[in-house]
Amino acid sequence: MEREEMISRFSTFFREYKDDEGNSVYLNKLRDLLTVVPKRSLSINWNHLNSFDPELAEELLENPEEVIASAEDAIQIVLREDLMYNGELKIHARFFNLQHTLLVKELGSEHINRLIQVEGIITRVSEVKPFVEKAVFVCKDCGNEMVRLQRPYDNLVKPAKCDACGSRNIELDVEKSRFINFQSFRLQDRPESLKGGQMPRFVDAILLDDLVDTALPGDRVLITGILRVILDQKDKRPIFRKVLEVNHIEQLSKEIEELEISPEDEQKIRELAKRKDIVNAIVDSIAPAIWGHKTVKKGIALALFGGVQRTLPDGTKLRGESHVLLVGDPGVAKSQLLRYVANLAPRAIYTSGKSSSAAGLTAAAVRDEFTGSWVLEAGVLVLADGGFALIDEFDKMSDRDRSAIHEALEQQSISISKAGITATLNSRTTVIAAANPKFGRFNRMKSLPEQLDLPPTLLSRFDLIFLLLDEPDEKVDASIAEHILKVRRGEAEVVTPKIPYDLLKKYIAYARKNVHPVLSREAMEEIKNYYVRMRRGFKRKGENDEGMQPIPITARQLEALIRLSEAHARMRLSETVTREDARAAIEIIESMLRTIAVDEEGALDAAILEVGKSTKKLNKIEKLIDIIKTLESEGEFGAPEENVMEAAKQAGIGTENDIKRLLNDLKRDARIYEPRGGFYKVL
Ligand code: ADP
Ligand code: MG
């Protein structure tokens, strides 16, 4: 098609296209563009064009560069002739709603230089830089000016010598050249569109002018663009690299689930929810190949359904996500459980703490290998925003992740400020993680936080922490062995979940999207009474002790109780949280506290979770330090060990062995030191 013809056909389309109600869609849009703060893009529904002028719509797909330019020329004509505009505003023609949507991994050589529509998630975004759209070169010898139009995906086009005098003394005239904003980003297939551990494919893309800063890492987008190829500079062979020149970008809602739930599905789901034993049926349907671990599975089920996120009138957000941590001996099926859940959970990403990507779990500013400019790259928690991150080897995460992950888990966002890039990325992600003990296996005599390579402040962000010990027990061992053997032999009934896998998957997605339970009065009473009772009981018991009093439970657990009660109601698809839901939440929290937050004497103490040591132990430590301080002057090199021992026993700190252990801990934590064997000083 001739250029002139395309322009005239577009002008006709803009002037004459009317929607079902008879509105001149594009004349109206153009009029709206010319408001106080003029916009620079006209978005055109490809479907409209296709119904009005199919030939032109087809031509656009085949030959986008020229057709888009014609559309832009036509816009200028319509602006001047129909809307009496006589300014200089350049308006981009941007097309959306093409018939066919591609995945990144489907992009191939047949799409080169064609207009295509691609869907994916943005993993990294570069800083915004000026791009010289129209470069004006000046000959330093004769003053001749030469204009070269540039392409954002190509190398700079520069005249080798002056057209007029032949001199090679040529320079870019920045003043006379025209610059527009340029930004690149990386588009990758959505994690949930990849099945079974496929490596995600990506394509680099370019945003120009008014499109810059419209996208952040973690955004799910639908893009129309022209697929370009450029010679890979690093590769000596004639191999090209794909670059997508974006024409139109649309944010996809994060709420949209990838699963289609049909009316028949909905009926089945509603029917299922009526079962009396629905909660148990769901729990038993999680990883049926793994024997036992019922409480853990229940905790995971609660996290899968999740509590309800609320926004207070002052804008404060209360998170609904319950994070779950599994810690335990090697070989107790932690990894296997996480893998199973990664397939079951909607929008889930499975990863390891020592994940190889630069962005790791949170986010990072890194240098792009092709352009050398800084890019902001999203980690797993951002990419899984609105879904789940299943993180194995959580204790092996990088130091950068360690410092950023607190914010990610509690505030559900990740702020980054580095190399001129500042951004806050959303991470409304539920974390289900697994960690191994620092010293190979767990020691029942020591508290959990002391044996984990994770700071206690981080542990306290998890609503549920499960301890999975591998202790020989004849009955249990026999059952596990039998179960594993049956699974191996392919005995169907052992591995067939009570609720079919696909249905459960839909059930979870459906509940998360449609059910938003509210606490009933009875549920509130139940939780309040439990909380008050727990806290009251302990004060009385510790009355005669000196030092700090242990607090059995804190407001953090109270919030966890609310989230878990809501999740329990959601499992039943109930809009109200009943007393029973609250009781179920209390039961699971209580059993967690009883396994990991009891001190040396069997009393509940939340300090173990919050600071990593029991209050009793903290008190003893403080006492012991006081003793060393007072005895420091007694010996030439500090407090003599015998004297410290004597005084500590007197003060009731414990047996000689207890005291020795404490002294060792204090040395390790650099609270005291030993100037000479058998003498101590406080640091
Ligand atoms: P971890 O991550 O805790 O170190 P894995 O998930 O790698 O352990 O499990 C080790 C193996 O032991 C897996 O093949 C798993 O199937 C098996 N296994 C351990 N405990 C159980 C169990 N309770 N039921 C079934 N299989 C089990
Ligand atoms: Mg493992």
Side-chain angles (χ1 to χ4, degrees):
M1 215 184 281
E2 289 293 313
R3 180 74 177 253
E4 286 313 311
E5 162 140 25
M6 292 194 278
I7 298 176
S8 107
R9 283 197 189 196
F10 265 117
S11 310
T12 316
F13 168 68
F14 292 142
R15 286 176 177 138
E16 293 178 9
Y17 179 82
K18 293 208 169 54
D19 66 8
D20 295 341
E21 273 120 54
N23 303 311
S24 302
V25 180
Y26 294 97
L27 286 181
N28 291 346
K29 278 196 184 193
L30 282 171
R31 201 172 290 120
D32 291 346
L33 288 183
L34 303 172
T35 48
V36 205
V37 190
K39 297 200 186 63
R40 298 202 299 279
S41 286
L42 174 71
S43 43
I44 303 159
N45 188 331
W46 183 83
N47 213 11
H48 291 172
L49 183 63
N50 193 40
S51 67
F52 190 86
D53 188 341
E55 211 182 338
L56 188 57
E58 194 53 41
E59 181 80 22
L60 170 66
L61 302 181
E62 303 280 333
N63 178 19
E65 188 164 336
E66 232 183 310
V67 181
I68 291 172
S70 312
E72 288 171 355
D73 288 348
I75 289 173
Q76 291 302 328
I77 293 175
V78 174
L79 282 179
R80 265 178 275 122
E81 294 180 1
D82 297 58
L83 300 170
M84 310 306 150
Y85 175 75
N86 48 24
E88 288 291 306
L89 192 63
K90 181 175 185 308
I91 290 184
H92 301 281
R94 304 201 182 278
F95 294 88
F96 67 100
N97 200 20
L98 307 196
Q99 230 150 24
H100 191 59
T101 304
L102 295 163
L103 296 177
V104 175
K105 64 177 174 202
E106 293 166 344
L107 296 183
S109 42
E110 69 272 29
H111 300 118
I112 294 169
N113 289 335
R114 289 178 53 105
L115 189 71
I116 51 172
Q117 181 165 286
V118 196
E119 187 191 337
I121 186 166
I122 294 179
T123 58
R124 47 158 77 170
V125 174
S126 80
E127 52 195 321
V128 177
K129 287 185 171 178
F131 155 67
V132 61
E133 184 183 35
K134 187 180 125 197
V136 178
F137 295 94
V138 196
C139 173
K140 300 291 269 183
D141 289 336
C142 72
N144 176 34
E145 284 182 10
M146 291 157 280
V147 175
R148 294 288 180 277
L149 295 182
Q150 307 290 331
R151 289 157 182 272
Y153 49 89
D154 247 344
N155 293 331
L156 182 75
V157 182
K158 186 181 172 183
K161 51 182 191 231
C162 176
D163 315 335
C165 72
S167 159
R168 293 186 180 273
N169 196 3
I170 293 166
E171 248 181 29
L172 180 75
D173 188 327
V174 172
E175 287 291 306
K176 295 205 169 101
S177 298
R178 190 170 68 226
F179 289 85
I180 56 172
N181 279 333
F182 167 100
Q183 189 176 32
S184 66
F185 68 90
R186 185 166 280 186
L187 186 74
Q188 184 173 298
D189 282 319
R190 290 177 295 120
E192 64 273 9
S193 70
L194 300 166
K195 291 286 159 273
Q198 277 178 309
M199 279 295 285
R201 300 277 191 81
F202 65 80
V203 63
D204 285 318
I206 290 171
L207 295 174
L208 292 177
D209 201 21
D210 56 337
L211 290 188
V212 307
D213 275 340
T214 51
L216 277 178
D219 286 353
R220 283 146 197 270
V221 290
L222 186 61
I223 286 172
T224 323
I226 308 175
L227 190 68
R228 304 291 193 180
V229 282
I230 48 175
L231 194 58
D232 201 330
Q233 299 288 335
K234 283 194 207 154
D235 204 327
K236 295 269 183 296
R237 298 167 300 165
I239 309 281
F240 287 74
R241 195 162 76 85
K242 285 178 282 205
V243 174
L244 190 61
E245 191 184 350
V246 177
N247 174 253
H248 185 272
I249 180 166
E250 179 188 343
Q251 296 278 342
L252 295 177
S253 154
K254 298 223 173 175
E255 271 71 54
I256 287 180
E257 292 298 338
E258 73 272 21
L259 284 174
E260 284 284 343
I261 296 176
S262 66
E264 297 86 75
D265 290 332
E266 179 167 357
Q267 178 136 26
K268 271 194 217 157
I269 289 168
R270 286 276 163 200
E271 207 50 50
L272 193 58
K274 288 188 197 142
R275 275 173 72 155
K276 279 261 172 309
D277 66 338
I278 179 65
V279 171
N280 262 319
I282 292 173
V283 173
D284 288 341
S285 301
I286 293 178
I290 295 170
W291 185 87
H293 294 328
K294 179 115 183 186
T295 319
V296 181
K297 290 183 183 178
K298 184 156 186 181
I300 289 177
L302 289 169
L304 286 176
F305 284 84
V308 183
Q309 186 194 305
R310 304 199 190 279
T311 311
L312 303 183
D314 69 353
T316 316
K317 287 219 168 73
L318 299 177
R319 75 172 148 109
E321 287 81 0
S322 280
H323 308 302
V324 175
L325 180 64
L326 318 182
V327 282
D329 290 329
V332 292
K334 299 185 297 297
S335 300
Q336 217 197 349
L337 204 49
L338 287 194
R339 276 216 198 86
Y340 190 92
V341 176
N343 288 321
L344 183 65
R347 190 170 283 185
I349 304 184
Y350 177 91
T351 185
S352 163
K354 45 183 178 191
S355 126
S356 49
S357 101
L361 299 178
T362 53
V366 293
R367 274 204 187 272
D368 180 71
E369 63 258 44
F370 290 108
T371 59
S373 63
W374 284 98
V375 293
L376 178 58
E377 181 160 319
V380 170
L381 291 183
V382 176
L383 297 180
D385 184 25
F388 295 82
L390 288 302
I391 311 172
D392 208 350
E393 320 258 345
F394 189 60
D395 46 321
K396 310 278 190 314
M397 76 182 122
S398 72
D399 290 339
R400 200 174 32 73
D401 279 340
R402 251 166 225 268
S403 55
I405 203 162
H406 285 79
E407 183 196 357
L409 295 188
E410 192 64 59
Q411 273 76 48
Q412 311 226 283
S413 59
I414 293 165
S415 313
I416 196 155
S417 172
K418 194 184 165 190
I421 298 179
T422 37
T424 299
L425 307 176
N426 283 322
S427 65
R428 291 155 299 188
T429 310
T430 304
V431 171
I432 303 180
N436 288 310
K438 233 190 303 191
F439 313 110
R441 296 199 48 186
F442 267 101
N443 177 349
R444 275 201 176 257
M445 302 306 291
K446 286 195 158 180
S447 79
L448 173 89
E450 287 173 301
Q451 305 182 60
L452 268 184
D453 196 11
L454 290 172
T457 45
L458 185 50
L459 290 184
S460 69
R461 300 299 194 275
F462 287 88
D463 282 1
L464 292 173
I465 301 175
F466 294 103
L467 187 55
L468 292 83
L469 297 179
D470 188 9
E471 291 174 325
D473 172 315
E474 211 163 309
K475 262 202 200 137
V476 174
D477 294 344
S479 309
I480 293 187
E482 194 179 332
H483 192 84
I484 291 180
L485 289 166
K486 277 186 185 162
V487 171
R488 279 278 150 171
R489 268 172 46 125
E491 288 188 24
E493 72 276 16
V494 233
V495 280
T496 310
K498 280 190 188 164
I499 303 171
Y501 177 80
D502 288 328
L503 182 58
L504 181 56
K505 216 176 148 113
K506 286 181 182 168
Y507 189 104
I508 295 168
Y510 179 86
R512 285 173 66 86
K513 190 167 174 202
N514 299 300
V515 186
H516 300 93
V518 178
L519 287 168
S520 68
R521 192 153 278 290
E522 297 79 45
M524 283 165 64
E525 278 290 300
E526 191 74 25
I527 293 173
K528 190 184 94 190
N529 289 345
Y530 172 73
Y531 186 70
V532 173
R533 192 169 66 237
M534 291 293 280
R535 290 181 61 104
R536 186 188 326 123
F538 274 80
K539 237 187 200 158
R540 230 183 279 125
K541 196 175 162 213
E543 250 163 15
N544 300 324
D545 288 353
E546 299 161 45
M548 298 176 280
Q549 298 297 319
I551 296 172
I553 185 170
T554 68
R556 242 192 250 284
Q557 278 92 41
L558 184 64
E559 285 180 1
L561 279 174
I562 297 169
R563 288 189 281 266
L564 295 170
S565 315
E566 289 170 348
H568 197 267
R570 244 187 191 168
M571 285 172 87
R572 306 182 293 107
L573 301 190
S574 162
E575 292 289 350
T576 11
V577 181
T578 62
R579 186 186 294 273
E580 283 65 41
D581 294 320
R583 281 200 185 130
I586 290 171
E587 192 184 317
I588 199 160
I589 283 272
E590 171 102 13
S591 100
M592 161 184 102
L593 295 174
R594 296 261 169 235
T595 31
I596 59 167
V598 282
D599 66 15
E600 302 78 353
E601 285 147 42
L604 278 188
D605 185 356
I608 297 175
L609 291 178
E610 300 273 341
V611 281
K613 290 192 175 71
S614 72
T615 309
K616 291 213 175 74
K617 187 161 180 188
L618 289 172
N619 283 337
K620 285 178 183 169
I621 286 172
E622 292 316 315
K623 266 193 220 165
L624 190 58
I625 285 182
D626 279 346
I627 290 172
I628 296 172
K629 251 191 218 151
T630 36
L631 298 182
E632 251 176 30
S633 51
E634 290 198 357
E636 200 180 333
F637 305 102
E641 186 164 308
E642 299 146 51
N643 303 13
V644 173
M645 234 9 129
E646 195 52 45
K649 272 194 252 170
Q650 286 276 302
I653 290 179
T655 65
E656 196 158 319
N657 267 338
D658 294 338
I659 298 165
K660 274 208 177 118
R661 220 177 290 133
L662 279 180
L663 284 172
N664 274 332
D665 285 356
L666 285 177
K667 266 197 291 183
R668 201 192 49 222
D669 296 348
R671 298 280 309 266
I672 60 170
Y673 65 107
E674 223 176 339
R676 170 166 295 197
F679 294 89
Y680 296 100
K681 275 191 174 174
V682 176
L683 264 169

